[in-house]
Amino acid sequence: QVQLVESGGGLVQAGGSLRLSCAASGRTFSSYAMGWFRQAPGKEREFVATISWSGGRINYAGFVKGRFTISRDNAKNTVYLQMNNLKPEDTAVYYCAADSSGFAGRITDYWGQGTQVTVSS
């Protein structure tokens, strides 16, 4: 019922910024919690940030340290991840996800294809 397509990744120098976008298709988009996850080379996929259907509940991973901001625009069927002060350790493939349970369950409902973020030193 939901398809997700990420964009906005690329190569940036340390200290720079990127804004990732996740375009969602499907009329039920607004009812899903949305999130961003990432997977770096040689590491497991990890949680970055999630946002509830209303935008009222937001969770961030500790490593964000105020640098990242997740937001959603339900009218545009899009979720964003604004990333500032990027560090080389932020280099990863970033995945958009949607989940009807607010990521409370073990399984996430939908995943995008991922977008590469590379931060050079």
Side-chain angles (χ1 to χ4, degrees), residues 4-11 18-23 35-41 48 79-81 83 90-97 111-119:
L4 307 172
V5 180
E6 302 96 330
S7 63
L11 175 64
L18 286 173
R19 190 184 194 189
L20 306 183
S21 298
C22 175
W36 289 95
F37 298 76
R38 71 186 189 185
Q39 187 168 20
V48 176
V79 62
Y80 305 96
L81 184 68
M83 304 187 294
D90 294 319
T91 296
V93 177
Y94 283 71
Y95 296 92
C96 179
W111 293 96
Q113 84 288 351
T115 185
Q116 177 70 48
V117 172
T118 302
V119 184

Side-chain angles (χ1 to χ4, degrees), residues 6-60:
E6 302 96 330
S7 63
L11 175 64
V12 65
Q13 293 185 351
S17 298
L18 286 173
R19 190 184 194 189
L20 306 183
S21 298
C22 175
S25 63
R27 296 184 178 182
T28 61
F29 171 77
S30 295
S31 67
Y32 284 81
M34 303 293 296
W36 289 95
F37 298 76
R38 71 186 189 185
Q39 187 168 20
K43 300 183 66 177
E44 300 290 335
R45 183 178 61 200
E46 64 181 347
F47 155 76
V48 176
T50 58
I51 184 169
S52 66
W53 68 269
S54 67
R57 297 186 184 277
I58 295 174
N59 291 314
Y60 291 108

